[in-house]
Amino acid sequence: MVGGALQLGLTILAARLLGPEQNGHYAQFVLVFNLVFIGLNFGLGPASTYFVASGRLTEAAARRISVRVISLITALLGLVTLLIWKASMIRVVESAFKIPVPLFLWGLAGGVLLLTFNQMLAIMMGGHRYDTVNLLNISKAGVPLLFIALLSLLVAPDSLNLSIAHTAAMAVVLMLSIMALTGASEKNRSAELMSEKSVGSVLHAMLGYGALVYASNLLHYLAMRGLLLLLSYYSIPESVGFLNLALLLLEVTLLLPSAIGQLVFPQSSTTGFDRRVIEIVLRINMLIGLFLAVGVVLLSIPVIRVLMGEAYVSVGSAMMHLAPSVILLAIPRILSQVLSGQGYPRYPLIAAALSLVVGAILAVLLIPRWGVLGAVWAINAVSAITATVTLVGYSRVHKVAMCELLKPRFQDWAGVQRMLAKISRS
């Protein structure tokens, strides 16, 4: 939650420092930054969390595998980028998507740092080291905010300067994560030696499991954030910035279910996991999402006008139309993590694939005519399909009716009180 608040602060600061066009270019940097991470992780992060949490792999062994795989990925990315540069194809990317070449290159570099950072966190999540992960997640949002704030005091900010500062901040945060992971691993050298024999045999199974989760994450990301690429092609950079800001604000409204899903994923593979508690939490989140959606419809434009200025009122309009996604996306943020953590990643994959196809068709039809709002309506369709397929998958796995999952109950509040009492005792 703190990390999300800091991310919101970074979003507002960037909008205040940059005009709509420059903010649009910075949004393109962030898009490349995230696409590198989501496109090149190959499911290694979720697989590491799942295998470490289930006891099939030690943290030290997962770290050694990560070093080898990420080193290979980085080398291949560098080689491909060099070939693209030599063939002058990078100018084609610049002209088609209106992204300056330096921002594209800094996005590639930052994406590799983000990929490595999230892999360190995935291993620690598997080891149930939630306090450390929380602190590092806060630093992932807080350090870039600090770097960009300091930069604004030294030079006139533009999209390139902010991109460089963001990448440098990620390098610092990565070093902190490496220190946290290796420091803990050094305390148990015997476990590292014992795990060496199991690395080769487990890697194949990790890649098999991780491939499904990877494909699911990639397709879902493309179904949502990939619309920024289409918007870059059909529209001007300002529109990309407006949609990017709206999506970032949508993520803020989903902080609670996202945090729950992050914690549920490594725990759902344990023997003591009680899915009924998660179903209670899901219903409570749906009610919270309903109230948030009403607030988004009523307050988006005046709040955006106060926080970012009159030039960004279009962001508020986009947020108003995104209100259905505030409710719908709470479902997969929780249940998809349960399904993946229990060894059923195919259902989130089906949801992501179907939503990508339908969303892309709608986007191609709507964006040329309606711009940002057309992209927003496509996102709502993606949210509805993802939520529906996830509910169907969870219902089939656990033999529970969908209406029973979502129907509010008076005893849910008693369940929440018991959870809070348990937390206070611990």
Side-chain angles (χ1 to χ4, degrees):
M1 297 293 285
V2 174
L6 291 171
Q7 180 62 50
L8 177 60
L10 176 60
T11 301
I12 295 172
L13 178 62
R16 282 291 189 180
L17 293 175
L18 305 173
E21 181 179 3
Q22 284 291 306
N23 190 67
H25 285 311
Y26 177 63
Q28 291 173 323
F29 156 80
V30 174
L31 176 61
V32 175
F33 178 85
N34 285 308
L35 277 174
V36 170
F37 158 65
I38 198 71
L40 296 181
N41 73 79
F42 299 111
L44 185 63
S48 298
T49 300
Y50 177 72
F51 275 73
V52 172
S54 61
R56 300 172 66 181
L57 197 65
T58 65
E59 285 190 31
R63 177 163 58 92
R64 288 200 306 279
I65 292 173
S66 301
V67 170
R68 297 168 189 172
V69 174
I70 291 177
S71 297
L72 178 61
I73 290 173
T74 304
L76 290 176
L77 178 62
L79 178 61
V80 171
T81 304
L82 181 61
L83 292 175
I84 292 175
W85 182 277
K86 290 293 186 181
S88 299
M89 292 179 62
I90 200 164
R91 296 296 176 184
V92 177
V93 175
E94 181 182 38
S95 60
F97 298 103
K98 308 175 187 70
I99 176 172
V101 171
L103 293 184
F104 179 76
L105 296 176
W106 280 108
L108 294 180
V112 172
L113 296 174
L114 179 63
L115 170 64
T116 310
F117 170 78
N118 277 282
Q119 180 58 26
M120 302 298 103
L121 261 62
I123 296 172
M124 287 184 274
M125 283 294 292
H128 305 293
R129 294 165 55 190
Y130 306 120
D131 289 341
T132 303
V133 171
N134 284 337
L135 290 174
L136 289 170
N137 269 326
I138 290 172
S139 70
K140 183 179 71 171
V143 176
L145 176 62
L146 176 62
F147 273 44
I148 289 175
L150 291 175
L151 174 72
S152 67
L153 299 177
L154 300 175
V155 298
D158 59 21
S159 57
L160 179 58
N161 288 336
L162 262 65
S163 301
I164 295 173
H166 199 144
T167 305
M170 278 307 306
V172 173
V173 172
L174 174 60
M175 290 302 301
L176 294 175
S177 69
I178 292 173
M179 290 169 58
L181 182 61
T182 55
S185 298
E186 290 298 324
K187 295 178 182 178
N188 195 351
R189 176 65 64 177
S190 60
E192 183 176 350
L193 296 175
M194 289 171 59
S195 66
E196 184 66 38
K197 296 180 180 180
S198 66
V199 172
S201 60
V202 172
L203 179 58
H204 183 268
M206 285 181 66
L207 292 177
Y209 171 87
L212 294 177
V213 179
Y214 161 72
S216 174
N217 291 339
L218 176 61
L219 294 178
H220 181 69
Y221 185 87
L222 291 176
M224 299 282 288
R225 297 281 180 166
L227 297 182
L228 291 170
L229 288 175
L230 284 176
L231 201 59
S232 289
Y233 182 80
Y234 285 113
S235 190
I236 56 179
E238 287 94 325
S239 298
V240 179
F242 293 151
L243 181 59
N244 182 64
L245 287 170
L247 288 174
L248 289 172
L249 293 172
L250 175 63
E251 292 291 329
V252 172
T253 66
L254 296 168
L255 279 175
L256 184 56
S258 297
I260 293 169
Q262 186 181 25
L263 290 170
V264 163
F265 179 58
Q267 295 187 34
S268 56
S269 61
T270 60
T271 56
F273 180 74
D274 187 355
R275 66 174 178 83
R276 292 170 298 180
V277 175
I278 300 305
E279 292 169 7
I280 292 174
V281 172
L282 174 66
R283 290 191 288 269
I284 297 298
N285 267 276
M286 293 291 291
L287 290 175
I288 294 174
L290 178 60
F291 286 111
L292 282 175
V294 173
V296 165
V297 171
L298 297 177
L299 300 176
S300 288
I301 290 180
V303 169
I304 292 298
R305 185 177 282 117
V306 171
L307 293 179
M308 299 182 185
E310 192 68 33
Y312 290 93
V313 169
S314 295
V315 178
S317 299
M319 278 300 299
M320 288 178 60
H321 289 267
L322 276 174
S325 292
V326 174
I327 306 171
L328 293 168
L329 286 179
I331 297 172
R333 289 299 171 96
I334 296 174
L335 295 188
S336 291
Q337 299 293 343
V338 176
L339 290 169
S340 296
Q342 293 181 332
Y344 299 98
R346 64 181 180 275
Y347 289 109
L349 175 59
I350 294 171
L354 185 60
S355 63
L356 174 62
V357 173
V358 175
I361 293 173
L362 288 175
V364 171
L365 294 174
L366 297 175
I367 288 178
R369 181 176 181 182
W370 299 100
V372 173
L373 291 183
V376 166
W377 296 333
I379 289 171
N380 285 330
V382 166
S383 302
I385 293 170
T386 305
T388 301
V389 176
T390 304
L391 281 170
V392 170
Y394 186 89
S395 299
R396 288 186 175 182
V397 169
H398 295 289
K399 305 296 187 290
V400 57
M402 285 191 289
C403 61
E404 292 298 317
L405 278 174
L406 302 179
K407 182 180 178 181
R409 305 172 185 175
F410 288 110
Q411 56 265 38
D412 288 348
W413 298 105
V416 172
Q417 291 176 347
R418 288 195 299 271
M419 285 188 288
L420 292 175
K422 184 178 179 180
I423 291 170
S424 63
R425 289 195 300 270
S426 63

